[in-house]
Amino acid sequence: AAATAAAIAIGRLLTQESINTAKAQDSQSLQSALSGMLETLCDAVVHLDSNFKITLPVPRFAAMLMMPPANLQGLRLLDKMSAEDAIRFERVLNGQGQQEGERL
């Protein structure tokens, strides 16, 4: 009985692990597809952390700013904007929306 219960528990764990692996692969596939679409539609795709720092090298964005790509990684994006633009940008990305008639 104990061996049967252990076999059932192991079977359930393996099933759950398989489901989790499939979900992770689906998530990675979706992220890859979205990244590809953004790369096609946008001049540059910039990955930011929660402090608006650039997390990955972005050669196309670096070229737009006329900077070496290595100098961008870790740079706080808001530091490259005017104070007014930085305030609007941060407000919109934090989900506070735009004010009437305001453009990003």
Side-chain angles (χ1 to χ4, degrees):
T4 303
I8 291 171
I10 290 172
R12 287 182 180 166
L13 286 173
L14 291 175
T15 299
Q16 189 60 46
E17 183 64 27
S18 296
I19 290 169
N20 290 341
T21 300
K23 285 181 181 179
Q25 289 172 342
D26 287 346
S27 178
Q28 289 172 346
S29 295
L30 178 60
Q31 182 179 358
S32 179
L34 288 173
S35 291
M37 184 175 65
L38 286 172
E39 290 288 341
T40 301
L41 297 173
C42 301
D43 293 329
V45 177
V46 180
H47 296 262
L48 305 174
D49 67 11
S50 61
N51 294 314
F52 304 109
K53 287 186 178 179
I54 298 172
T55 59
L56 299 171
V58 187
R60 286 158 89 185
F61 188 57
M64 292 168 66
L65 297 176
M66 295 187 267
M67 294 177 65
N71 290 1
L72 284 182
Q73 193 164 353
L75 178 76
R76 190 166 184 260
L77 184 62
L78 302 180
D79 293 341
K80 298 305 280 180
M81 298 179 178
S82 71
E84 182 181 308
D85 287 343
I87 290 168
R88 271 198 321 257
F89 185 79
E90 191 169 13
R91 188 172 52 238
V92 169
L93 288 185
N94 282 329
Q96 297 169 358
Q98 293 176 256
Q99 295 178 358
E100 186 69 30
E102 183 177 53
R103 292 182 175 206
L104 183 59

